[in-house]
Amino acid sequence: MGFSRQEYWSGLPKGCQGPSLGLCARSSGETRLNKEKIIQGQGIDEPLSETGFKQAAAAGIFLKDVKFTHVFSSDLTRTKQTVHGILEKSKFCKDMTVKYDSRLRERKYGVAEGRPLSELRAMAKAAGEECPAFTPPGGETLDQLKRRGKDFFEFLCQLILKEAGQNEQFSQEAPSSCLESSLAEIFPLGKNCASTFNSDSGTPGLAASVLVVSHGAYIRSLLDYFLTDLKCSFPATLSRSELTSVSPNTGMTVFILNFEKGGKGRPTAQCVCVNLQGHLAGVNKTP
């Protein structure tokens, strides 16, 4: 990943007394239209291809030991099938209820949906613009997409803060260290994860570990929101092009969010990895 396993955790704020959230965002598996470079957006509800199902299964095996507390997904077919493929491989989350949310849908491309990517680029060139900034007729602007992502993210934060407050009110037990330790097993979070998130260090454990399954352009927009609005800290080894590229099929992006006590103000966001693809090394693509 370009930085040591302990480097990330040593940078976490020690004085933060509010809850922390682990957020794993990932794009859907491959569809036939992905392979053929056809724009799907929201209007073309294509199922996963054979390769897409393999990618979802590979992602599930990679995440099988992670103890998610919440799972959200776009309500389009390709993301529903992806999240099912992930959870069926899980040791702990097989029976978890998935919350499908239309706010997690892919960017709407209007008249370009169902057409080759080359036609979208030609439309942008004719308008004197470039992709992805170009918005085809009937499509969703980047600002509209970003606002939709922000709306979901703020909803998620309020949900976690509310649940964390209820847990604090009705139980004196600290959040289970199994959440962060399960993340640390597969992501570069540091071997001493459990000792970092405990009462002795003054930093609470993760209040929640959330899996979000969405789409490539949507996750790119979410990254832009984290970078420009939340001033998220990203690994120094990441280039600007990596931060602005479309997430590949089942690519994983992971954040740790730290809230102030009482949930006031925006959370402090730190990125662990962007568009991780190592889990796909053994996936054989169909001809």
Side-chain angles (χ1 to χ4, degrees), residues 17-272:
Q17 296 297 314
S20 297
L21 163 66
L23 175 62
C24 178
R26 60 176 313 109
S27 56
S28 68
E30 180 196 84
T31 69
R32 174 183 60 86
L33 297 184
N34 282 144
K35 190 172 182 179
E36 296 176 0
K37 299 187 184 303
I38 302 295
I39 302 294
Q40 296 172 99
Q42 298 182 13
I44 309 297
D45 200 13
E46 184 80 4
L48 294 182
S49 63
E50 181 181 348
T51 295
F53 281 110
K54 290 180 180 179
Q55 291 170 336
I61 292 170
F62 185 76
L63 295 170
K64 64 183 174 63
D65 293 321
V66 177
K67 300 178 181 181
F68 292 110
T69 58
H70 304 73
V71 179
F72 293 88
S73 171
S74 157
D75 60 354
L76 297 178
T77 298
R78 56 193 184 274
T79 40
K80 286 183 176 180
Q81 292 176 330
T82 300
V83 75
H84 177 75
I86 293 171
L87 295 183
E88 70 178 4
K89 300 294 184 182
S90 175
K91 289 184 179 179
F92 309 103
C93 307
K94 287 181 184 292
D95 300 321
M96 180 169 287
T97 299
V98 179
K99 297 180 180 179
Y100 298 105
D101 197 312
S102 61
R103 289 174 293 186
L104 293 172
R105 288 182 179 183
E106 180 60 293
R107 182 184 180 187
K108 185 178 181 180
Y109 285 94
V111 299
E113 293 182 351
R115 298 186 182 184
L117 175 61
S118 59
E119 287 193 21
L120 175 64
R121 290 172 174 165
M123 291 169 64
K125 184 177 181 180
E129 299 182 39
E130 294 183 0
C131 295
F134 172 70
T135 303
E140 192 174 25
T141 68
L142 290 181
D143 284 342
Q144 289 171 329
L145 177 62
K146 186 175 179 180
R147 285 198 296 270
R148 180 154 58 87
K150 178 183 177 182
D151 183 57
F152 173 80
F153 176 71
E154 291 180 345
F155 151 78
L156 177 62
C157 290
Q158 290 302 311
L159 174 67
I160 300 306
L161 286 170
K162 180 180 178 181
E163 292 181 351
Q166 291 173 342
N167 291 338
E168 183 179 353
Q169 180 179 358
F170 295 110
S171 174
Q172 296 301 315
E173 295 182 6
S176 173
S177 64
C178 68
L179 295 180
E180 56 268 18
S181 60
S182 68
L183 282 174
E185 286 295 320
I186 61 170
F187 293 111
L189 306 184
K191 296 180 179 179
N192 299 322
C193 174
S195 63
T196 302
F197 280 97
N198 57 37
S199 56
D200 294 334
S201 69
T203 306
L206 291 177
S209 180
V210 180
L211 173 65
V212 173
V213 181
S214 184
H215 306 267
Y218 184 96
I219 293 176
R220 176 176 59 189
S221 178
L222 186 67
L223 278 169
D224 180 65
Y225 171 67
F226 272 58
L227 179 66
T228 60
D229 293 55
L230 295 185
K231 307 302 181 184
C232 179
S233 172
F234 285 86
T237 52
L238 287 175
S239 66
R240 183 74 186 184
S241 62
E242 288 175 299
L243 291 176
T244 57
S245 63
V246 173
S247 175
N249 293 123
T250 68
M252 298 187 207
T253 298
V254 179
F255 300 96
I256 300 294
L257 306 168
N258 298 286
F259 299 90
E260 294 181 11
K261 191 171 183 179
K264 296 180 180 180
R266 290 180 174 177
T268 300
Q270 296 192 27
C271 179
V272 177

